[in-house]
Amino acid sequence: MAETTSVSGVKYTSAGKEYFEKRRLKRSAGVWGLWGLAVAAVISGDFSGWNFGIDFAGFGGMLIAFVVLVIMYYGLTFSIGEMAAAMPHTGGAYSFSRSAMGPWGGLATGLAETIEYVATTAVIVFFSALYANGITTELLGFDLSANMWIWWVVLYLIFIGLNAAGAAISFRFAIIVSIISIGILVVFGVMALVSGAFKWDLLWDMAPNADVAGASTFLPEGVFPILFALPFAMWFFLGIEELPLAAEESHDPSRDIPRAGVWARGTLIVTGLIVLFLNTGVIGAEATGVSGEPLLDGFRAIVGDQAAAVLALVALVGLFASLMGIMFAYGRNMYSLSRAGYYPKFLSLTGKRQTPWVALVVGAVLGFVALILLDLLSRVSPEGAGAVAGAIILNIAVWGAVLAYFLQMVSFIILRRKFPNVSRPYRSPWGLPGAWAAAIIAAIVFIGVLINPAFTPAIIAIVIVYVVIFLGFALYGRKRLVLSPEEEYALSGGMHGDPQKEGYDAMEGEVPGTGKK
């Protein structure tokens, strides 16, 4: 197998058609399948997680954080829509940064997304297990609270199976559970308003902190804690950026990914506003900020405690939707980095169903091990078993996400200058200003994570992961890269890299950067 030395001291190995035949994906999605995937990945954030921002900053602070994050996600989704249309291959964030900042930049961004999606999947498994165990305990007298790892194994196995069964099943399931989850939120909103349970005064029931200068009914903890609320406001949208990872499974990625992003973003803004205002206005800002299950508490306040177990089933629908969507994301993210040689190449193998089942299994194992380790640590914590585990892994997901966002916006800005003449079937209506706005807000959230002591264990864990992966790439991986579509696009200056039109080995035999065989 011939090797060709390329930029930044990396080497490419000619893989051949057989290599890519074992790593094929199947085109199964139209615009609504992509919409369902994006909404499914995010929707559980409306059921729980977002509300802790109110505890930091009050309802007013959380509302400001929500508006700031809407601006960031507009700039982000417009920008990644443009890049995904120009680079219609599975790499997504890794591909954008690879073209803009070279192999090391691509790995840094791709790894941030791996951390984000593997950790987010683990968070959803963690909370899904709590809900499921509550249901079986209440209705069947079957309690596994002392052995929650059994629930984790069951949930991972079920959703690995669904994701590995075929892309068509994944997209169809995503549409169904997204519609059901949206329906649940709309029903809650109607019930809150019709029943009279919603009270405007409850939005402001947190007493102003007398020790904080500038504290008010609107901002009971003052202005500064808005910074700490921003990461929690991300849960209204975190995961929508996974759409480019479905490029090689979309019938028309250059058209449908930007369109699906617009529709998904609009959907999530509406659902986010429903729970932000109505959920808080039903149980009060004070109670919402510390609730482990705010939507269920809202339903309980309207219909009473006797329906708690049934309502837990309702919450599980939203959690399962996001579990399906985020697992899809880490599978494709790891697949693309593996196919190019940044991760071990066996991770990108696909089976008869043409899904990256190996990456799905390995990502699940990593998430499961993280949950076990953190659960063991939490059992010696005064905060109680489970509390620390859930918090740490949630913080890991947020930090990985905001790092990936910042690097993608930097890539957008660079690519507008670096590749000014490449085909861009879709152009961001916000252009460079939108990317700058998203990058600045992402940097602010990054700082908020960095200075918040609650995030310190997550930051330490991520730094360790980066050191290990970068050492492995420096010593081994950088000498064995493959001319995958993502690498071809970068090396050809945007001339190659659309596998739908060119196949998967368009540059085989070419000298990178010359276009010559």
Side-chain angles (χ1 to χ4, degrees):
M1 301 176 70
E3 287 187 344
T4 304
T5 303
S6 184
V7 296
S8 303
V10 301
K11 291 184 178 180
Y12 289 91
T13 300
S14 299
K17 291 185 177 181
E18 183 180 354
Y19 178 85
F20 292 108
E21 284 293 332
K22 295 178 180 179
R23 291 163 173 81
R24 284 200 175 275
L25 301 173
K26 186 175 182 180
R27 298 192 180 274
S28 307
V31 65
W32 290 112
L34 296 169
W35 167 86
L37 181 70
V39 172
V42 182
I43 201 72
S44 68
D46 289 337
F47 288 72
S48 60
W50 64 272
N51 54 298
F52 298 123
I54 292 180
D55 190 40
F56 278 103
F59 178 79
M62 189 62 178
L63 180 60
I64 292 172
F66 180 87
V67 172
V68 171
L69 265 295
V70 166
I71 294 171
M72 185 186 81
Y73 276 95
Y74 260 92
L76 177 74
T77 53
F78 279 145
S79 299
I80 65 176
E82 176 175 312
M83 291 188 290
M87 299 174 238
H89 35 252
T90 298
Y94 135 65
S95 179
F96 309 153
S97 294
R98 167 63 187 92
S99 294
M101 297 183 285
W104 292 94
L107 176 59
T109 308
L111 178 57
E113 274 209 334
T114 302
I115 292 169
E116 172 194 355
Y117 294 139
V118 170
T120 302
T121 302
V123 169
I124 300 169
V125 166
F126 181 87
F127 286 113
S128 297
L130 290 177
Y131 275 103
N133 194 66
I135 293 169
T136 58
T137 301
E138 181 70 24
L139 298 182
L140 305 175
F142 181 67
D143 185 3
L144 287 175
S145 55
N147 296 285
M148 292 301 290
W149 65 269
I150 297 175
W151 279 115
W152 301 341
V153 170
V154 169
L155 288 167
Y156 270 121
L157 287 176
I158 290 172
F159 283 90
I160 287 173
L162 284 171
N163 269 285
I169 293 175
S170 297
F171 292 119
R172 193 176 303 119
F173 183 88
I175 293 173
I176 293 170
V177 291
S178 293
I179 292 173
I180 293 173
S181 299
I182 293 167
I184 291 166
L185 296 173
V186 170
V187 167
F188 171 78
V190 172
M191 290 174 64
L193 294 173
V194 172
S195 68
F198 172 79
K199 306 291 184 185
W200 184 261
D201 291 346
L202 289 176
L203 299 175
W204 324 105
D205 70 348
M206 288 180 66
N209 190 334
D211 298 326
V212 176
S216 64
T217 303
F218 185 73
L219 296 173
E221 298 294 334
V223 175
F224 185 74
I226 295 172
L227 189 63
F228 297 150
L230 286 169
F232 296 99
M234 283 178 59
W235 282 94
F236 288 119
F237 304 100
L238 189 146
I240 191 174
E241 72 281 356
E242 78 169 69
L243 273 175
L245 294 169
E248 289 179 40
E249 289 158 286
S250 167
H251 295 302
D252 191 351
S254 296
R255 183 196 67 175
D256 289 345
I257 288 177
R259 287 176 60 198
V262 170
W263 282 102
R265 185 183 60 226
T267 302
L268 295 167
I269 290 173
V270 172
T271 59
L273 287 172
I274 289 174
V275 295
L276 178 60
F277 274 90
L278 300 183
N279 204 164
T280 309
V282 167
I283 64 176
E286 189 78 45
T288 301
V290 295
S291 173
E293 44 191 38
L295 191 70
L296 284 180
D297 286 341
F299 271 120
R300 289 187 184 111
I302 298 171
V303 301
D305 291 337
Q306 67 273 19
V310 176
L311 295 176
L313 281 170
V314 169
L316 268 177
V317 175
L319 289 166
F320 285 168
S322 290
L323 186 52
M324 187 72 179
I326 293 294
M327 187 173 282
F328 177 97
Y330 83 62
R332 274 59 180 180
N333 163 268
M334 294 175 69
Y335 161 86
S336 60
L337 285 159
S338 165
R339 183 176 65 177
Y342 293 90
Y343 292 171
K345 295 184 178 68
F346 73 89
L347 293 177
S348 55
L349 291 171
T350 56
K352 293 181 180 179
R353 302 278 185 176
Q354 295 184 314
T355 54
W357 66 273
V358 180
L360 289 167
V361 171
V362 172
V365 170
L366 292 173
F368 177 77
V369 170
L371 283 173
I372 290 291
L373 292 175
L374 291 171
D375 186 52
L376 291 174
L377 290 174
S378 74
R379 292 181 184 277
V380 298
S381 166
E383 295 184 49
V388 174
I392 290 177
I393 206 157
L394 185 150
N395 296 341
I396 289 172
V398 169
W399 203 78
V402 75
L403 177 59
Y405 294 171
F406 178 78
L407 292 173
Q408 286 179 85
M409 294 305 92
V410 171
S411 299
F412 179 91
I413 294 165
I414 292 173
L415 287 171
R416 277 287 187 96
R417 297 196 306 267
K418 187 176 180 180
F419 295 165
N421 299 318
V422 299
S423 173
R424 289 180 169 86
Y426 170 84
R427 292 183 71 89
S428 165
W430 283 21
L432 288 173
W436 276 108
I440 291 169
I441 295 171
I444 291 171
V445 179
F446 181 88
I447 293 170
V449 171
L450 204 60
I451 65 176
N452 189 338
F455 284 78
T456 301
I459 294 171
I460 293 172
I462 291 176
V463 169
I464 292 172
V465 171
Y466 262 88
V467 169
V468 171
I469 296 297
F470 269 56
L471 279 175
F473 183 66
L475 297 175
Y476 183 82
R478 68 182 181 85
K479 301 174 184 178
R480 295 167 174 82
L481 294 184
V482 171
L483 287 170
S484 66
E486 296 86 358
E487 298 296 312
E488 289 187 350
Y489 185 92
L491 292 173
S492 67
M495 300 302 294
H496 287 307
D498 185 348
Q500 191 170 20
K501 296 178 180 179
E502 304 167 3
Y504 287 82
D505 54 354
M507 284 183 67
E508 288 286 345
E510 284 187 8
V511 178
T514 68
K516 298 178 180 178
K517 296 286 186 178

